Amino acid sequence: MLVITDNVTQAINRLRRHQRRHVPFAMARAMTLLAREGRDAVRESLPERFNLRRRWAVHGIRFQFATKQSLTSTVYSRDRFMVEQEVGGTKTENVRPIPAGRLATLHRRRAIPRSLTAPRMKRRDDVFERDGILWQAKPDRIEPLYVLAQRLRMTPRLGMREQVEDLAGRRSEPVFARVLREATAQDR
């Protein structure tokens, strides 16, 4: 009976040492891997949610590593304007003119040339503003150029939080189990 008690005590001590040594490392490593997967998932979904003409918005989605001391890993965007895309709300400052008509079609494919921006178009003699819309008078018709909004209602469309939480919920157990196995396999 004494031998069994000694073995149980030794086993408990080994498990405690194992827990102190490997679990924080495995937890930090798993959280970092999940954050990296979350970042990649958000980056992959951006072209479906936005008209991206350049890659800088995609590269602005980043993640922060977890450490054994700080078991927190974060997926974030370095661009401040993405907060509005994530949470929505009403924008009243720096509201840019919204392209309309042929400029809206052009804007979907590429950036609008500087010569066709709203401030430059306002200087032209054939362009006028009425009821918050910038119009261009052509010889046979009048075309809308921009909607000049004072307030802009932003609907949440980034969905970063939902994507990352969903991925972490589905993948946390298998990733943690794999990382813990790898950490204990290297134990000497």
Side-chain angles (χ1 to χ4, degrees):
M1 190 86 134
L2 184 62
V3 173
I4 294 173
T5 306
D6 281 345
N7 288 340
V8 170
T9 305
Q10 287 176 355
I12 289 172
N13 288 337
R14 235 181 277 128
L15 283 173
R16 286 185 183 144
R17 188 181 65 228
H18 175 66
Q19 180 182 7
R20 278 194 310 270
R21 189 168 178 194
H22 294 295
V23 171
F25 168 77
M27 195 68 150
R29 179 89 174 115
M31 293 176 86
T32 298
L33 291 173
L34 287 169
R36 180 178 289 141
E37 286 183 29
R39 177 206 59 188
D40 294 344
V42 171
R43 282 182 172 183
E44 196 173 291
S45 72
L46 281 181
E48 299 166 7
R49 297 170 187 260
F50 300 98
N51 293 326
L52 299 175
R53 287 173 285 283
R54 295 180 183 88
R55 301 285 300 168
W56 59 266
V58 174
H59 295 296
I61 305 296
R62 302 211 172 152
F63 73 97
Q64 180 181 3
F65 290 90
T67 64
K68 289 194 303 187
Q69 292 75 28
S70 167
L71 292 175
T72 303
S73 188
T74 309
V75 178
Y76 65 96
S77 174
R78 70 174 181 206
D79 303 312
R80 279 186 272 142
F81 73 89
M82 289 301 248
V83 172
E84 296 165 342
Q85 302 299 330
E86 176 69 18
V87 297
T90 303
K91 184 176 177 179
T92 56
E93 295 179 16
N94 298 327
V95 178
R96 295 188 175 164
I98 302 165
R102 66 183 172 88
L103 289 179
T105 306
L106 174 70
H107 188 59
R108 283 188 199 101
R109 291 188 311 258
R110 62 186 183 99
I112 294 177
R114 188 169 283 146
S115 63
L116 296 177
T117 59
R120 297 246 175 128
M121 293 300 284
K122 282 182 179 179
R123 296 184 206 146
R124 295 178 53 164
D125 292 335
D126 61 341
V127 174
F128 62 96
E129 182 183 341
R130 178 162 297 142
D131 297 329
I133 299 176
L134 200 61
W135 299 88
Q136 183 176 24
K138 300 273 183 158
D140 55 339
R141 66 188 182 284
I142 298 175
E143 286 186 357
L145 296 175
Y146 290 96
V147 176
L148 306 172
Q150 299 300 315
R151 299 166 51 103
L152 183 61
R153 174 78 179 121
M154 305 279 297
T155 57
R157 49 186 206 153
L158 179 57
M160 181 163 51
R161 181 181 186 141
E162 292 83 16
Q163 278 185 291
V164 174
E165 284 178 352
D166 178 55
L167 183 125
R170 285 184 291 112
R171 302 263 307 129
S172 60
E173 265 185 61
V175 169
F176 179 69
R178 178 176 54 90
V179 170
L180 189 59
R181 268 194 315 274
E182 291 170 0
T184 54
Q186 295 175 358
D187 190 19
R188 294 188 177 129

